[in-house]
């Protein structure tokens, strides 16, 4: 399975964003087939992914391959989910309600790791299964009651819906659209900025949630205006990837500044922002963990991680693919 692991080159522009990769069939038509799903949960050939309340999963001794267990080994309380099928194998997830202790048969002695750590190491099949399982774990944890009447809902459709026993309303896993955009000037510079949660020197492209009643393109223009005070044109879609931390879908765009490029920062959301050349952006990744107080260091000395669609947008722009 080594062939479909992503390349580790930090400047790579993958054909498909890291977390958007997938190689299983979701077999949605089976979710309502209760007999088939029950049989899958007793078939020793089924492969079960155990997901802890924190979203971590057991890994093999190599430290980065997912460790699936047989249904009989997955003896913990939790939400049972049909993830899908690939080849002859059926993949299930058990989204644990309580912390999993090391004495669970199938995972004794395993290391546990999370999607953020594993993403760039996993195969297409593994990352598609894990991203889905983590998204569903987060949703089930926070949507246990009916939003109409407050009653406790029941897990239905093999873990893909929750149904209210009082008013029969059906509730689906939430996915919140967010836009993330590389703003350039059409002349070799792009805008990078840092939010208050990021360490000094580490910057990324702008991003924000799509609001109710708003298109993604309008959200790009509004977020850029709000965060750095400039107008944009040529808003163009690039790619999307799920971001289940806890429930986003990141929609990647580029946009070109229209008119005055002077940045006026919204101090609530942005600590610093600037226009940077390709040379400055390439250099930023080489600083690594240099001490922050060193004199003469550039304002930009760190980039988002290679798992992120932000980094993919930046890398593609560095190759001059994304500047029209
Ligand atoms: Zn209800």
């Amino acid at each position: 399975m080594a062939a479909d692991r992503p390349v580790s080159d930090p400047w790579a522009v993958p054909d498909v964003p890291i977390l958007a990769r997938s190689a299983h069939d979701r077999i949605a038509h089976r979710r309502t087939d209760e007999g088939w799903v029950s049989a899958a949960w007793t078939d020793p050939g089924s492969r079960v992914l155990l997901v802890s309340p924190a979203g971590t999963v057991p890994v093999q001794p190599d430290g980065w391959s997912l460790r699936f267990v047989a249904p009989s080994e997955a003896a913990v309380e939790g939400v049972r989910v049909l993830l899908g099928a690939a080849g002859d194998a059926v993949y299930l997830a058990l989204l644990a309600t309580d912390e999993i202790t090391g004495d669970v048969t199938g995972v004794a002695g395993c290391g546990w790791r999370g999607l953020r750590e594993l993403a760039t190491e996993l195969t297409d099949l593994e990352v598609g299964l894990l991203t889905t399982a983590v998204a569903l774990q987060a949703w089930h944890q926070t949507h246990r009651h009916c939003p109409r009447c407050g009653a406790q809902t029941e897990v239905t459709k093999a873990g893909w819906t929750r149904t209210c026993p009082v008013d029969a309303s059906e509730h689906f896993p939430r996915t919140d659209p967010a836009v993330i955009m590389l703003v350039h000037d059409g002349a070799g510079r792009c805008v990078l900025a840092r939010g208050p949660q990021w360490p000094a020197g580490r910057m990324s492209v702008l991003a924000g949630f799509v609001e109710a009643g708003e298109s993604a393109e309008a959200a790009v223009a509004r977020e850029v205006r709000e965060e750095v005070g400039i107008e944009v044109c040529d808003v163009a879609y690039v790619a999307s990837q799920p971001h289940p931390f806890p429930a986003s879908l990141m929609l990647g765009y580029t946009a070109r500044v229209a008119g005055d490029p002077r940045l006026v920062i919204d101090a609530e959301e942005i600590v610093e922002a600037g226009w940077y050349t390709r040379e400055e952006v390439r250099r930023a990744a080489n600083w690594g963990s240099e001490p922050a107080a060193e004199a003469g260091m550039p304002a930009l000395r760190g980039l988002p991680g290679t798992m992120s669609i932000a980094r993919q947008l930046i890398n593609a722009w560095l190759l001059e693919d994304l500047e029209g």
Side-chain angles (χ1 to χ4, degrees), residues 186-209:
R189 294 187 308 164
C190 76
V191 174
L192 296 180
R194 178 168 75 85
Q197 73 280 16
W198 277 40
R202 190 159 176 243
M203 299 203 210
S204 185
V205 297
L206 303 173
F209 283 106

Side-chain angles (χ1 to χ4, degrees), residues 146 148-151 164 166-167 169:
C146 175
R148 294 189 187 182
C149 74
C164 176
V166 176
D167 58 30
S169 61

Side-chain angles (χ1 to χ4, degrees), residues 88-303:
D88 294 333
V90 172
Y91 288 91
L92 306 166
L94 183 52
L95 313 176
T97 309
D98 303 311
E99 210 52 62
I100 299 173
T101 54
D103 56 12
V104 173
T105 319
V107 296
C110 271
W112 289 75
R113 296 181 73 188
L115 178 58
R116 285 178 190 273
E117 299 169 272
L118 291 169
T120 58
E121 306 284 351
L122 298 175
T123 64
D124 292 0
L125 175 62
E126 289 174 320
V127 84
L129 294 168
L130 179 55
T131 303
T132 301
V134 166
L136 288 168
Q137 173 67 300
W139 177 69
H140 280 290
Q141 284 173 334
T142 53
H143 293 78
R144 289 177 177 157
H145 293 87
C146 175
R148 294 189 187 182
C149 74
Q152 193 143 15
T153 50
E154 293 164 355
V155 177
T156 44
K157 293 187 180 169
W160 284 89
T161 54
R162 296 187 75 102
T163 304
C164 176
V166 176
D167 58 30
S169 61
E170 234 183 0
H171 307 281
F172 297 84
R174 287 199 54 169
T175 301
D176 301 327
V179 289
I180 183 159
M181 47 278 178
L182 183 136
V183 178
H184 64 83
D185 66 357
R189 294 187 308 164
C190 76
V191 174
L192 296 180
R194 178 168 75 85
Q197 73 280 16
W198 277 40
R202 190 159 176 243
M203 299 203 210
S204 185
V205 297
L206 303 173
F209 283 106
V210 179
E211 292 191 343
E214 186 178 46
S215 73
E217 293 81 358
V220 169
R222 175 184 53 76
E223 285 286 343
V224 173
R225 189 183 305 121
E226 286 176 2
E227 293 189 346
V228 294
I230 58 175
E231 297 297 322
V232 293
C233 58
D234 299 343
V235 175
Y237 175 73
V238 179
S240 70
Q241 80 167 348
H243 188 76
F245 310 110
S248 301
L249 174 66
M250 306 300 291
L251 307 166
Y253 285 84
T254 58
R256 186 162 62 86
V257 62
D260 191 342
R262 279 177 298 182
L263 304 180
V264 181
I265 293 168
D266 169 12
E268 294 261 307
E269 292 194 60
I270 302 289
V271 176
E272 57 181 329
W275 286 99
Y276 294 98
T277 65
R278 290 192 171 87
E279 182 53 34
E280 288 168 324
V281 173
R282 283 195 194 92
R283 260 203 324 257
N286 297 331
W287 278 82
S289 54
E290 294 290 329
E294 200 168 300
M297 58 201 307
L300 173 63
R301 49 187 191 279
L303 296 174

